[in-house]
């Protein structure tokens, strides 16, 4: 009889998952990292959201959880974690625990211990890492799940497996995120500068699409039906306007935007004057 072989097996029950994170979560994590205690090297916290039927985890909110960490153990403030969860669910009961996050580049020895705790809170938790130290030149964001390893019939260990991560945002959020992921920023752009950057990015995308279509027509690139349908859908959303009408609409929107800036500046000035008058009246 042939000798019985022991096989190392994977149980990829979580491998089909993918994650979609909202920029608010990234901003919140970076804010918690800036406000962390002096002795803390990283920040960890809970991720809230929902899981769709196709296995996509939608991460919409988060909160930090106090912890103490050493080389061989991690202590979480579980009572604080549960109190924060109850408070969040009073505001939005549809948001549930979907995983946890940590700042820093990559995984650490304590990540498995923390993941075990969240695995008791929710099935197949997501582990999100945010590189707030800019070790790769920008804020790298990755998502992981834990996959069980087994030696024969005996569970052996758990392995973190990276899953696809989608970071979707509107243009106004992208302007802020582009600043956030840059290690050094001279100054924050104004609203007009942010609009200018968005228009320049739009023009660059249009140039890329134009070059792709031209290469397909000339036979330099093989056509892709999915790309063609996406371009067709995008063009179908463009309203049929003459250049003069488009310029008028753009100028009207720009003037409305400038008016809002003027009114907000006027309001701030009035509030400052009122505050100074109240202070002077109290002194007198």
């Amino acid at each position: 009889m042939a000798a019985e072989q022991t096989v190392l097996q994977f149980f990829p029950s979580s491998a089909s998952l993918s994650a979609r994170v909202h920029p608010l979560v990234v901003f919140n994590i970076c804010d918690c990292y800036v406000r962390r205690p002096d002795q803390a090297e990283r920040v960890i916290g809970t991720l809230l959201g929902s899981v769709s039927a196709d296995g996509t985890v939608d991460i919409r909110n988060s909160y930090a959880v106090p912890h103490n960490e050493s080389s061989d153990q991690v202590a979480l403030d579980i009572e604080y974690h549960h109190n924060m969860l109850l408070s969040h669910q009073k505001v939005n009961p549809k948001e549930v625990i979907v995983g946890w996050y940590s700042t820093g580049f990559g995984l650490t020895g304590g990540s498995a211990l923390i993941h075990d705790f969240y695995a008791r809170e929710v099935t197949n938790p997501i582990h999100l890492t945010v590189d707030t130290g800019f070790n790769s030149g920008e804020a790298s964001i990755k998502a992981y799940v834990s996959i069980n390893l087994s030696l024969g019939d005996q569970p052996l260990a758990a392995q973190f497996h990276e899953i696809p991560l989608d970071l979707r945002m509107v243009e106004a959020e992208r302007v802020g995120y582009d600043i956030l992921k840059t290690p050094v920023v001279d100054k924050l752009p104004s609203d007009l500068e942010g609009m200018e950057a968005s228009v320049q990015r739009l023009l660059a995308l249009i140039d890329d699409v134009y070059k792709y279509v031209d290469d397909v027509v000339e036979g330099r690139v093989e056509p892709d039906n999915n790309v063609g349908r996406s371009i067709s859908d995008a063009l179908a959303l463009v309203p049929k306007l003459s250049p003069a009408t488009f310029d008028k609409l753009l100028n009207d929107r720009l003037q409305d935007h400038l008016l809002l800036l003027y009114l907000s500046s006027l309001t701030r000035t009035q509030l400052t004057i009122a505050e100074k008058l109240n202070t002077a009246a109290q002194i007198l």
Side-chain angles (χ1 to χ4, degrees):
M1 293 179 61
E4 202 175 295
Q5 294 183 347
T6 302
V7 181
L8 181 64
Q9 297 177 338
F10 289 86
F11 291 89
S13 60
S14 307
S16 60
L17 291 176
S18 62
R20 180 171 60 243
V21 59
H22 290 233
L24 174 64
V25 176
V26 181
F27 298 153
N28 191 18
I29 293 174
C30 292
D31 180 68
C32 293
Y33 179 77
V34 172
R35 301 172 186 269
R36 75 190 188 281
D38 295 336
Q39 69 275 11
E41 295 183 358
R42 66 170 180 166
V43 176
I44 66 174
T46 303
L47 299 174
L48 301 176
S50 60
V51 182
S52 60
D54 61 353
T56 301
V57 180
D58 191 20
I59 306 171
R60 295 192 295 267
N61 208 341
S62 66
Y63 58 86
V65 177
H67 76 290
N68 292 319
E69 188 172 3
S70 61
S71 58
D72 57 348
Q73 63 181 1
V74 179
L76 294 176
D77 192 338
I78 299 178
E79 182 179 359
Y80 177 88
H81 158 69
H82 288 153
N83 290 336
M84 286 294 294
L85 177 61
L86 291 175
S87 299
H88 276 271
Q89 289 186 334
K90 288 179 181 178
V91 178
N92 193 344
K94 294 183 179 180
E95 289 185 352
V96 297
I97 298 176
V98 295
W100 66 286
Y101 72 81
S102 67
T103 59
F105 188 71
L107 304 169
T108 65
S111 298
L113 298 175
I114 303 173
H115 200 82
D116 287 341
F117 166 73
Y118 280 93
R120 296 192 294 268
E121 298 282 307
V122 63
T123 305
N124 296 335
I126 297 289
H127 176 31
L128 190 73
T129 61
V130 180
D131 177 23
T132 51
F134 302 99
N135 295 310
S136 60
E138 61 178 26
S140 175
I141 305 173
K142 295 183 179 181
Y144 301 89
V145 293
S146 179
I147 296 179
N148 295 325
L149 297 176
S150 175
L151 187 60
D153 295 333
Q154 298 296 324
L156 182 62
Q159 180 186 43
F160 283 102
H161 175 75
E162 186 175 355
I163 62 174
L165 179 65
D166 184 15
L167 181 61
R168 292 187 178 181
M169 61 191 76
V170 298
E171 195 59 37
E173 294 170 333
R174 181 169 295 278
V175 172
Y177 178 74
D178 289 341
I179 297 173
L180 183 65
K181 71 179 183 180
T182 305
V184 179
V185 178
D186 295 331
K187 67 181 184 67
L188 295 178
S190 63
D191 291 341
L192 290 179
E193 290 173 340
M195 181 184 296
E196 181 182 3
S198 299
V199 172
Q200 290 176 351
R201 187 180 297 108
L202 176 61
L203 291 176
L205 292 175
I206 292 175
D207 290 339
D208 291 341
V209 172
Y210 179 82
K211 183 178 181 302
Y212 171 78
V213 173
D214 187 59
D215 290 341
V216 170
V217 172
E218 296 295 333
R220 293 189 292 267
V221 176
E222 288 292 329
D224 189 324
N225 293 333
N226 293 328
V227 175
R229 281 191 291 267
S230 298
I231 296 175
S232 177
D233 294 340
L235 292 176
L237 297 175
V238 178
K240 296 180 180 179
L241 300 174
S242 64
T245 305
F246 178 79
D247 290 342
K248 182 178 182 304
L249 290 175
L250 181 61
N251 290 330
D252 290 344
R253 291 292 299 273
L254 182 59
Q255 291 176 3
D256 293 341
H257 186 70
L258 292 174
L259 179 60
L260 288 175
L261 290 178
Y262 173 74
L263 292 176
S264 61
S265 177
L266 184 62
T267 303
R268 285 195 298 268
T269 303
Q270 290 178 340
L271 291 175
T272 302
I273 294 174
E275 182 179 358
K276 291 183 177 180
L277 290 176
N278 290 333
T279 303
Q282 292 176 1
I283 294 176
L284 295 177

